[in-house]
Each structure stands twice: as C-alpha cells, then as structure tokens.
Amino acid sequence: MGGNQSVGGITTEPASPTVVKTNAEWKAQLTKQQFNVCIKHGTEHPNSGRLTKSEIYGCVCCHSPLFLHTEKFESGSGWPAFYKPKEGCVRHVVDKSMGMKRTEVRCRTCEAHLGHVFSDGKPLRYCINAVCLEPFNG
C-alpha cells in the first residue's frame, strides 16, 4: 500500500515493526489459536474468548502494552471492546477481505493482528480478539 489512507475517518499507516520472527519462531511461542489469529489474521468465535482482568492488556506475541482496562466496555459484539488503544501502540491497516472494506488493528511493535476498529457509532469501537491479549506486567 502506498501512503496513508483513511477508512471510516481512521488513518492507516505503513508498517515498521521492531519485533520480527519467522512463522516457525511464532509457532514455537504461541498456541495454535494464537498463531492462527495473530499471525494468520484469523478470528476467534464470538463470545469464546476470556480476558483475565488487568489494569493494562498487552500483546500476547511481543508483550507490548496495548489497551487500558479503563477503556474497556461491553459492546455486545462478542469480542472484547475498547474505546481506544494506548497512544502509539497500534497501527491501522485497510482490510478488504470478506468482501468489505474495514480497518484492521495490528500491534505496532510486532504486526500481530488484533482485530478491527469500527466507526459505526460514537465513540470508536475497537473489537479485539481476546486470544491476542494478556495481562501486561510491564
């Protein structure tokens, strides 16, 4: 993709990960489900993921802090929802899969797929796969 784009008013930006691993390295570190969702850009079934309560939720792949508990809310979507990520911790990518144009959310540090952000209401709704998150113990 050349340059920044906007999807639903959300600006997308190019990748510049600082943690880069091979698929074999990710497979050795992650569970099968984590690998499928985070690395292969899959999704978990709605209402199947469980989050351990934490003040901060981090990336299961690189352990970077991503979302504050105070930004979490119940959206009724079946996935954990947040109003916003920690500043500078995620990046947005145009996702044209599944016959629609959406905004994918990735960890800025390692490029792990986290979920999608929707601008279908006020405020924004970051729907994140629970399998991608872990309690952050910085």
Side-chain angles (χ1 to χ4, degrees):
M1 168 185 2
N4 295 354
Q5 297 183 31
S6 179
V7 179
I10 302 163
T11 302
T12 62
E13 57 275 332
S16 58
T18 56
V19 173
V20 179
K21 296 184 180 185
T22 65
N23 279 348
E25 290 172 315
W26 286 125
K27 282 182 179 181
Q29 174 186 330
L30 303 170
T31 67
K32 186 176 179 179
Q33 185 183 28
Q34 289 168 335
F35 180 81
N36 181 54
V37 175
C38 298
I39 307 306
K40 293 298 184 183
H41 301 253
T43 190
E44 62 192 4
H45 294 288
N47 300 305
S48 67
R50 301 290 174 253
L51 285 180
T52 301
K53 188 171 181 180
S54 179
E55 289 302 310
I56 301 173
Y57 297 100
C59 177
V60 73
C61 295
C62 69
H63 315 294
S64 295
L66 298 172
F67 295 93
L68 298 175
H69 175 73
T70 54
E71 298 294 339
K72 189 176 181 311
F73 70 100
E74 182 56 52
S75 69
S77 68
W79 289 272
F82 297 87
Y83 294 116
K84 65 181 179 180
K86 286 180 60 64
E87 185 71 31
C89 293
V90 304
R91 77 178 196 95
H92 303 100
V93 180
V94 174
D95 177 1
K96 295 181 182 176
S97 66
M98 300 184 73
M100 63 183 98
K101 192 173 182 181
R102 303 180 294 172
T103 304
E104 178 185 358
V105 180
R106 293 186 189 174
C107 174
R108 185 176 294 281
T109 303
C110 70
E111 280 296 292
H113 167 78
L114 303 171
H116 290 85
V117 60
F118 300 95
S119 59
D120 53 2
K122 298 281 183 191
L124 293 175
R125 179 170 48 97
Y126 282 80
C127 287
I128 306 299
N129 291 284
V131 72
C132 302
L133 300 176
E134 66 181 5
F136 177 76
N137 298 315

